[in-house]
Amino acid sequence: MTSAPLRFAHLDPSHSPGQQESTGGIGDSRAVDFSHGDVDAFPPPAPAITAVARAIDDGGTWAYSPYRGHGTVRAALAGRLADLTGADIDPASELLISAGTQASLYLAMSSIVERGAGVAIVTPDYFAYRKITGYLEARPVEIPLSYRDAGEPGVLDLAALERAFSAGSRLLVFSNPNNPTGVIYDATHLSDVYALAESYGAHVIVDQLYCRQIFDQRPFTHLRTLPGASTRVTTLMGPSKTESLSGLRLGVAIGPAELVSRMESLQGIVTLRAPGYSQAALMSWLAEPAGWLESRVSAHQSIRDDIAGVIRESRTVSARLTEGGSYMFLHSLSVEGRLDEFVDRLRVECGVTVTRGFEFGDYPDGFRLNFSQSHAAAVAAVERLVDFSDRF
Amino acid sequence: MTSAPLRFAHLDPSHSPGQQESTGGIGDSRAVDFSHGDVDAFPPPAPAITAVARAIDDGGTWAYSPYRGHGTVRAALAGRLADLTGADIDPASELLISAGTQASLYLAMSSIVERGAGVAIVTPDYFAYRKITGYLEARPVEIPLSYRDAGEPGVLDLAALERAFSAGSRLLVFSNPNNPTGVIYDATHLSDVYALAESYGAHVIVDQLYCRQIFDQRPFTHLRTLPGASTRVTTLMGPSKTESLSGLRLGVAIGPAELVSRMESLQGIVTLRAPGYSQAALMSWLAEPAGWLESRVSAHQSIRDDIAGVIRESRTVSARLTEGGSYMFLHSLSVEGRLDEFVDRLRVECGVTVTRGFEFGDYPDGFRLNFSQSHAAAVAAVERLVDFSDRF
């Protein structure tokens, strides 16, 4: 085998969520895999599942779509997505259906980033931003997010962002709510971030995968509602998280027509299209039965509160309260320098799988939980985790 | 919007199969879309569909898999794939499940081809080989396939292949059966091709998507059975064609462990994984009910024969008889210089959608049919096509 092409230098997925061996010892009934949500604890909305089953039976109608997705699905979604995000969408030119939000991210970044360019990436933030940047032979430029002071709103280091843009970066990519901390950016801060991008002619990709799951009635600002944003903002969303439909591999991207066109071209050589049958699930997305979303959000808020209560009692573990999404980013005073050992033993001895802080930046004392789990099992698992950390 | 990165120079999908507007005039009940197979005419095997529906109901068991695919599915498939292809497969290290054969192709090529390298690509052959090569900023080196003389076996130009390797190309990628001609390469010729690759230390990706659909009881040679081939051959297969499961987005790649590992890393940033629920369909792949495959192959052979009979009567259209797969590559004496007009008018005036020869190389008089269609509708559509060509 010839050696790997240069673009493979930073792609090792060994510690990525879902790549670990199955949690706990054999027969450990307490095992909780916090690396991703538990779709049995929070099943998908019934209409989505029914629609996919019906699409498979229909066969020819659904099997093949244009690379950018079925026209009927884009037409059905455009109005709902416009209502949710607060700005119009042309379903023919500004909306692409992809094989998952990860796929949207890859297509969008590859459609913008030139080899050798700098890419402004928030830290901590979703690990794939860095990996994709490396694969594209571009350079990540870190933009720190301050989140450790629970009393203060989470904000990006705007001076660092301006330095990145002035040194030539022409793309900022970040998640809102932030993965892994659950920070939501407020409207004023987003306006400041956007104004900087605009003044340097930069593009912004905002990954809003968890934007429907907002706690404590906080306001949530969609970046694309800012004046002029439709020409330089690409918004990624999908039904994989709150709606538990990750198993169908579906995402959407809303962006400028020129970018959506590039993304479609690239999707044509990468996966051809999102699974044709899966796309039927989107016909009822953002139009779930009354009360469905509210009930899902409040169930997660309640898990969050109980987990946070356990953490507050710990001598060694701390975490910022999640503002949106299902992630919580924990720090332990006892694991620095031994994070891999901690994570491995936590899994094997306590049946608790978490994702290492290193996946999100230089966080040798951090690890992430996805608390979209069975409520009681999650709380008990965090009790074991805290106990293990306090003894470690 | 900033200009497109260099890697986008050759990605326009406007003429790719499935990207055309819907066939025929509104209400043209005769319309046949030969750009891809009709899954209503040839539905998927029932056990595959049942398994997916059950997997969706099971939820957590199937939703998430390791990036390389569910271990249970790889274990179930490895033995059957080994039996089919004639050489052992380690399900843990040599087998990857991807989001479709297109995805396997992208992952495999990107895992081998260094920027600026030459890639030996057969002409005519599947258009995505050229597009992916361009996206990777590498150079296609054309290896002619001789197929026009129906009395002779289809063979690659071995002198051209040796020139490509001696000039530095370290990858050959080709389909067998060939897309678009339906040529099957015989064992002796494949040995010659492989010996050349071996002598230059080159890797070979062989796309065998249609390898189960072989006509006239011809022998079919799997490249990976040649001595030593497991270290330098990657075989792509999947249930999208003969088995009509394209709507699920599933493919497999069999290759050296090091390459499968790179492909998994890359899949981790491109789509994460093949759709978790879809993967359940592979539990019964290559183990369909008795007689299912034989019946499917003979139905296609019969369509092929009737279409070929219509073409033989034409003054202007000719085609080599398909040896395997559902493709036939037609040439018309009347369209050179006007292929786009011919294809457009054929679609609008006759309700017949075909794929332009330009998608497969420099074929200004050629177009491809996928004849996996309703038998009578396909024959009638080819009669209209021949009549249109004879008058054009």
Side-chain angles (χ1 to χ4, degrees), chain A residues 180 317-318 328-333 335 339 342-343 346 354-358 360 363-369 385 389:
Chain A
V317 181
S318 63
M328 195 178 285
F329 197 39
L330 282 57
H331 297 272
S332 165
L333 294 173
V335 305
L339 182 59
F342 177 80
V343 167
L346 183 65
V354 300
T355 302
R356 307 185 314 163
F358 295 129
F360 309 96
Y363 298 95
D365 66 344
F367 42 92
R368 185 193 73 176
L369 310 186
L385 181 160
S389 170

Side-chain angles (χ1 to χ4, degrees), chain A residues 2 5-8 16 19 40 60 67 102-103 106 110-111 113-115 135 137 249 262 269-271, chain B residues 2 5-8 16 19 40 60 67 102-103 106 110-111 113-115 135 137 249 262 264 269-271:
Chain A
T2 53
L6 273 180
R7 62 182 85 92
F8 273 78
S16 300
Q19 290 296 93
D40 293 329
Y67 296 163
Q102 178 76 44
Y106 175 73
S110 180
S111 297
V113 176
E114 199 55 272
R115 177 160 39 87
Y135 175 79
E137 300 183 54
R249 296 285 79 214
R262 288 183 210 162
I269 61 165
V270 166
T271 59
Chain B
T2 53
L6 273 179
R7 63 181 84 91
F8 274 78
S16 300
Q19 290 297 92
D40 293 329
Y67 297 163
Q102 178 76 44
Y106 175 72
S110 180
S111 297
V113 176
E114 198 57 270
R115 178 159 39 86
Y135 175 78
E137 300 182 53
R249 296 283 80 213
R262 287 182 210 164
E264 175 176 44
I269 61 165
V270 167
T271 60

Side-chain angles (χ1 to χ4, degrees), chain B residues 134-222:
Chain B
Y135 175 78
L136 297 173
E137 300 182 53
R139 281 177 303 107
V141 180
E142 302 214 333
I143 312 300
L145 159 65
S146 59
Y147 66 95
R148 296 295 292 265
D149 183 343
E152 295 293 323
V155 290
L156 301 184
D157 182 336
L158 294 178
L161 183 59
E162 175 140 32
R163 278 195 303 275
F165 287 150
S166 75
S169 294
R170 286 296 171 268
L171 175 66
L172 165 67
V173 54
F174 73 108
S175 55
N176 185 23
N178 174 260
N179 173 358
T181 66
V183 158
I184 292 174
Y185 299 99
D186 71 29
T188 309
H189 188 62
L190 285 175
S191 291
D192 292 344
V193 167
Y194 180 76
L196 264 183
E198 190 175 37
S199 69
Y200 283 93
H203 195 92
V204 184
I205 297 174
V206 58
D207 170 352
Q208 298 189 169
L209 189 49
Y210 257 129
C211 69
R212 301 183 79 197
Q213 190 169 309
I214 306 300
F215 302 133
D216 308 312
Q217 314 289 335
R218 281 173 184 273
F220 181 88
T221 304
H222 292 266

